[in-house]
Amino acid sequence: LVVVGLIINLCLGAVYSWSVFVNPLTDYFSQNLGQTVTANEVLLPYSVILAVFAITMALTGKYVETHGPRKITIVGCILTGLGWLFASRVSSLTMLSVMFGVIGGIGIGIAYGATVAVAARWFPDRRGLAVGLTVFGVGFSAFITANLAGFFIAAYGVMNTFRIFGIGSILFTVPLALPLTFPPPGWKPAGW
């Protein structure tokens, strides 16, 4: 379950590769849409997604308890993927901030919190290690996804890269969420 959470968070953490998107997005808005935007302005969707992700994670913990981690993670993973997919169709930075930042941020906040809760419940005797390994995926993600993003942007363009990340996110994370459950009431690790 920790490895599953790590891989899901590796996909969710693709948001941290945003710096690779900045120049291609600046060029796309300027050259394809005739909108003058700066690199600083293109950072707005990234700021929005981080803020929404943090707020959502804090607000949705109770739903993990009532609906279970599997359902909540699946919803979060689908929303994250939809955020990427919807971002591929935008025609303004405002819409990019809404589609990627708000929808994607809600998805990340929901799924991230659920994977952490699963790790903490199954490993109360090694909670720090289990949670640390689960969230390792988010931190390590940029190392992998930034390189993937750079490759896809060069090969297919920035908006198609959003589509690839969206489809890939859903295809990888939703099946991985299926085994996520909490231990039965009263469960304890052997010898603890």
Side-chain angles (χ1 to χ4, degrees):
L1 294 173
V2 169
V3 171
V4 165
L6 186 153
I7 296 169
I8 289 171
N9 286 327
L10 192 74
C11 294
L12 298 175
V15 64
Y16 291 114
S17 66
W18 189 255
S19 62
V20 177
F21 289 85
V22 172
N23 286 336
L25 279 170
T26 304
D27 294 341
Y28 174 79
F29 280 107
S30 300
Q31 296 168 9
N32 294 56
L33 301 178
Q35 300 173 19
T36 304
V37 296
T38 66
N40 277 344
E41 291 171 332
V42 174
L43 289 173
L44 179 62
Y46 179 68
S47 299
V48 171
I49 201 168
L50 293 182
V52 171
F53 153 38
I55 293 166
T56 302
M57 191 171 67
L59 296 176
T60 58
K62 64 182 176 185
Y63 297 107
V64 177
E65 298 297 324
T66 57
H67 297 291
R70 177 184 303 125
K71 288 179 187 173
I72 294 300
T73 304
I74 289 171
V75 169
C77 292
I78 290 171
L79 286 172
T80 302
L82 288 176
W84 286 101
L85 285 169
F86 293 159
S88 74
R89 306 293 297 160
V90 301
S91 58
S92 71
L93 278 177
T94 301
M95 287 309 296
L96 185 59
S97 296
V98 172
M99 297 302 166
F100 179 76
V102 175
I103 295 172
I106 290 171
I108 294 170
I110 291 171
Y112 177 84
T115 60
V116 169
V118 168
R121 291 275 183 90
W122 279 102
F123 298 95
D125 54 335
R126 296 185 189 104
R127 190 180 318 265
L129 177 62
V131 170
L133 288 172
T134 302
V135 301
F136 172 80
V138 172
F140 190 70
S141 180
F143 180 75
I144 295 170
T145 58
N147 290 314
L148 279 174
F151 171 78
F152 288 135
I153 289 168
Y156 305 109
V158 68
M159 299 317 253
N160 284 326
T161 301
F162 278 120
R163 286 184 196 97
I164 292 166
F165 272 40
I167 292 167
S169 178
I170 292 170
L171 291 179
F172 274 94
T173 59
V174 170
L176 284 170
L178 295 177
L180 294 180
T181 60
F182 286 139
W187 179 88
K188 292 179 183 173
W192 189 64

